[in-house]
Amino acid sequence: MKAMSDLQVLPLVTDGSVSTRTAGDRLELLTALITAPNFDPLFRTDVIKVPRDHPTYGWGCAVSGCQRAQGPARDFCKVHELEWVAAQKAGQSITEFHMAAVPLIPKSRIDPPPCVVCPDAPAWDARQLCYLHGSRWLRHHADVRGRKGMLPVYEEWLAKQVPFPHFGQCKVLPCPEQASSPLGLCHRHITHYERDRKPGGARPAANWARWIVTRNKPVPIEYADRSLFERWCRETGLANRANGQVSLLGLRPLVKAEIKWALFQHGNNPTEGMIWPLVWVQYLIDDCRDQRVDSLAGIDQGNCRRLSRLLLFGMLNSLRQVYFTRDDTKEAGFIETDHFGVRFASCHSHIDLTPISQRAFSILTPSWSDAG
């Protein structure tokens, strides 16, 4: 296979042996392309929210009415995938399976509505309460039942509640969710922080809920080691990758623009390569963030996930046509047929000319350079 040799084309230009666009030129060019009218606005934001039925990046289970996310490179969610495997063994057709399959709801909310008390906070329970008000209701319920032996009236309790202030975005670097407490972490990352045994010992001041209501001031945060807590926030990954979102938060400007362009290009030409599940896209983004790379051309493939490397090949292919001019490709020893408005059937735009003898190469390339 040529995959590994193709992957080396972009990194080779960084040593200056082949004249091509500089990093600044590349960012300026990609920024112009991304802001152009024909660029899909879906891919312009740093948090890309893909519709579940998107023609290229769709992520919803194929069973009609099922609200769960499909498995990566699968058509169904995990439960329906297992049911389909069993149905196939029983001789059932795909049409029969779709007719018999029962749609499912997610175990947790994929896109939660706002809390009925705090309009800026996401709801996380069946009563549509945020994490904090849900916790307060459970404590109130247990307290009244324990002291009085009776069930509290939810509506009476709800009428006395006041909204908590907005705590901003979660402090975990790639997380786009809203924080659920003065600690600055979303609901899921609070759970992860407790599971990791609270590195840095960060905790809000005692009785912080009363502090907010009575003093209307920011809640002080106490730390055993603040730098350790901040390091945990920088190095912790996303808590949820099965919600149709791609988070580019925390990436450097050029690599962020490269991924946006590659996603847009693949959406226009999905037949050119493999399927790009959003979960795999996020893996590559996470590897770029962890390695702190400026460009996809500089990523250390040896320290990437295997699935990241698979997508990297396709992304570099789409960038090659932007980063290399016709003269650049001649000097580097390959041709991009898309530069000339040509695409051969069952063939990529990239044609490697390095195996060709120098004489044949010099005969062939002038005709391409003068084309168009």
Side-chain angles (χ1 to χ4, degrees), residues 38-294:
N38 62 339
F39 188 89
D40 190 342
L42 175 67
F43 302 106
R44 284 195 183 120
T45 59
D46 289 352
V47 180
I48 301 170
K49 298 182 179 181
V50 180
R52 62 186 303 119
D53 58 349
H54 190 276
T56 304
Y57 300 108
W59 52 275
C61 178
V63 170
S64 179
C66 183
Q67 299 177 35
R68 295 189 179 183
Q70 62 186 205
R74 298 288 188 270
D75 291 328
F76 304 111
C77 64
K78 184 176 180 180
V79 172
H80 285 127
E81 183 69 25
L82 294 174
E83 291 179 355
W84 167 232
V85 171
Q88 283 182 299
K89 291 180 179 179
Q92 197 175 57
S93 70
I94 186 66
T95 302
E96 293 170 329
F97 171 74
H98 274 286
M99 292 179 63
V102 178
L104 303 170
I105 60 173
K107 292 183 178 180
S108 62
R109 294 181 185 270
I110 292 177
D111 188 15
C115 172
V116 293
V117 182
C118 301
D120 294 323
W124 288 105
D125 69 1
R127 295 182 182 274
Q128 203 171 319
L129 295 172
C130 64
Y131 175 72
L132 294 179
H133 280 106
S135 299
R136 297 191 80 182
W137 164 248
L138 291 177
R139 288 197 299 270
H140 176 73
H141 186 280
D143 181 58
V144 171
R145 190 170 184 178
R147 288 188 299 103
K148 301 181 179 179
M150 55 187 295
L151 295 177
V153 179
Y154 172 73
E155 288 73 17
E156 293 179 358
W157 172 86
L158 184 63
K160 299 177 182 178
Q161 301 308 303
V162 295
F164 288 112
H166 188 226
F167 298 119
Q169 188 172 306
C170 180
K171 290 182 179 178
V172 172
L173 187 58
C175 184
E177 306 296 338
Q178 296 300 309
S180 295
S181 82
L183 197 59
L185 300 177
C186 67
H187 167 59
R188 287 190 175 95
H189 278 116
I190 288 175
T191 303
H192 282 221
Y193 186 61
E194 293 172 349
R195 181 199 61 193
D196 291 344
R197 300 184 179 181
K198 299 183 178 181
R203 60 190 179 94
N207 298 320
W208 63 265
R210 187 176 301 171
W211 178 290
I212 291 176
V213 174
T214 59
R215 304 189 188 187
N216 193 28
K217 294 181 179 180
V219 177
I221 305 297
E222 301 171 359
Y223 304 92
D225 186 338
R226 182 167 183 170
S227 63
L228 187 58
F229 171 72
E230 292 174 346
R231 177 182 175 183
W232 182 88
C233 292
R234 288 195 306 270
E235 297 180 353
T236 298
L238 290 170
N240 183 15
R241 291 182 174 85
N243 57 358
Q245 290 189 160
V246 174
S247 174
L248 298 165
L249 299 174
L251 290 184
R252 294 180 177 178
L254 178 57
V255 69
K256 186 186 297 183
E258 289 175 336
I259 293 172
K260 290 179 180 180
W261 173 255
L263 289 173
F264 168 67
Q265 283 293 89
H266 184 68
N268 286 338
N269 303 287
T271 58
E272 276 205 349
M274 57 181 288
I275 297 172
W276 290 10
L278 294 180
V279 174
W280 296 3
V281 173
Q282 191 65 60
Y283 285 156
L284 176 57
I285 293 170
D286 294 344
D287 287 338
C288 291
R289 185 186 300 108
D290 292 343
Q291 295 187 29
R292 301 180 183 179
V293 297
D294 292 313

